[in-house]
Each structure stands twice: as C-alpha cells, then as structure tokens.
Amino acid sequence: MTPTTTDAPDCTKAAALLHAVADPARLAVIRRLADSPACVCDLQEQVPIALNLLSYHLKILRAADLVTCSRRGRWIDYALAPDALARLHATLPATPTHPAGASEAATPQQYTAACSPQCADQIQ
C-alpha cells in the first residue's frame, strides 16, 4: 500500500519512534524504566555499557519523548514517559485476533478486515 499524504507524516513519526528503541541498549533501558524510575548508576547495573554510551542512549530516548528526567540533588532520575508504552503500541499495525483456540496462522483473507480497500485488493 502506498502511503497517502495523510499517512506519510504518521508513518514518519512512527518510524522515528521505533528507531529510538531499535537498539538493544535503548530497549533494555525502556524495559528497566517500565518497572520504576532509576538513576544512571542503577541503569548501568541493568545495562552494562560505558557511562558515556548510556548517556548517549538516554539522550536519544529523551529526544523521542520516551524518557523523562528530574534532578534530585546531584542525581538525575530517569523515568518512562507516562504515555511512552501507549505511543509505542500505537505505532504497530492492528491485526485481527484469532478465534479462541486457533493455532494456525491467519489466512490473507482474515487480515483483509484490518486493511484499507487498496491493501485488501492486493492480498486477494
């Protein structure tokens, strides 16, 4: 399916968001912060990389508005943005659910419901 003019900005934003978590270290940081906020020293225990590299990855996540930070004296605490997981989930395409107990893969026709008419024509 060729993106329309209304789809293109959304796809660009979604791609940028997914790019921000498309690194194993950044994904590990997201997973750690999903549990609770943490300072860099706590994050470094969970994501054992050089401090300057961890700071770089945190900068990327902050630029994508996935992570927030707050100062606590001389410490900086990082937390997952309140809407981070919802925004990440929203970037993924919707697919139809399988009937209860179905173990086989969905047929192309079952995916037609989640597609636009142009996409459905290409599947069938």
Side-chain angles (χ1 to χ4, degrees), residues 15 18 31 35 39-40 43 47 60 67 96 107:
L18 291 174
R31 287 181 172 176
D35 291 336
C39 65
V40 173
L43 288 173
V47 186
I60 299 292
V67 169
T107 64

Side-chain angles (χ1 to χ4, degrees), residues 65-77:
D65 293 325
L66 293 171
V67 169
T68 62
C69 66
S70 60
R71 187 167 286 279
R72 180 177 41 101
R74 63 182 201 146
W75 302 104
I76 297 177
D77 291 323

Side-chain angles (χ1 to χ4, degrees), residues 54-109:
L54 181 57
S55 293
Y56 168 77
H57 288 302
L58 287 166
K59 176 184 165 187
I60 299 292
L61 293 170
R62 286 177 43 214
D65 293 325
L66 293 171
V67 169
T68 62
C69 66
S70 60
R71 187 167 286 279
R72 180 177 41 101
R74 63 182 201 146
W75 302 104
I76 297 177
D77 291 323
Y78 293 91
L80 201 58
D83 64 342
L85 296 179
R87 287 177 42 228
L88 284 169
H89 186 265
T91 64
L92 303 174
T95 57
T97 57
H98 292 285
S103 60
E104 70 280 348
T107 64
Q109 291 76 22

